Amino acid sequence: MQLLETNERQIAERNAAVETIMTSVIELQEIFKEIHVLVIDQGTLLDRIDYNIEQASEKIGGAVKELESAEKHQKNSKVMLCIYLLLVLCASMAVVLVIKKSMQKK
């Protein structure tokens, strides 16, 4: 009889231990589900960051090309301004020489 009671007590203790383990496993499952959701959210966030970095890189490349083009145009406009100024000076010198020659003949 005492052996039967001891066995029943051991069975009850084991049953309680199994239920405790089962509760722990369920809690662990919930934790893993929450981690899964967090990982998915972070993956989405990383994808957005990656996309934004790619877009910024493309736009910076385009901006560099635009700046190089603007620099060329600016240099060309300065060169053309110097050429026009020299042409005006040459024409002025020619006019001065013509006037001086015509005054010497008089």
Side-chain angles (χ1 to χ4, degrees):
M1 182 79 150
Q2 190 172 5
L3 183 61
L4 185 61
E5 289 176 6
T6 305
N7 283 343
E8 286 180 6
R9 194 171 0 121
Q10 287 178 348
I11 290 172
E13 287 174 2
R14 286 181 185 168
N15 192 20
V18 167
E19 286 182 15
T20 304
I21 291 172
M22 193 170 70
T23 304
S24 297
V25 167
I26 290 172
E27 290 174 0
L28 187 62
Q29 179 189 11
E30 290 298 319
I31 290 171
F32 276 116
K33 283 181 181 179
E34 291 173 7
I35 290 174
H36 175 73
V37 169
L38 290 174
V39 167
I40 288 174
D41 289 344
Q42 289 178 352
T44 303
L45 185 62
L46 287 175
D47 289 343
R48 287 184 198 157
I49 290 171
D50 184 47
Y51 175 76
N52 288 337
I53 288 173
E54 287 176 9
Q55 291 297 315
S57 176
E58 289 175 10
K59 290 185 180 195
I60 288 172
V64 167
K65 288 178 184 176
E66 290 292 327
L67 284 173
E68 289 171 351
S69 174
E71 184 180 23
K72 284 180 184 177
H73 288 306
Q74 191 175 22
K75 284 181 181 178
N76 286 341
S77 67
K78 286 180 182 178
V79 169
M80 291 305 290
L81 180 64
C82 288
I83 290 172
Y84 291 139
L85 183 61
L86 287 174
L87 286 175
V88 168
L89 287 174
C90 288
S92 300
M93 295 291 263
V95 169
V96 168
L97 284 175
V98 169
I99 293 174
K100 187 175 181 182
K101 291 271 183 183
S102 67
M103 288 183 145
Q104 285 180 354
K105 287 184 182 179
K106 288 185 181 183

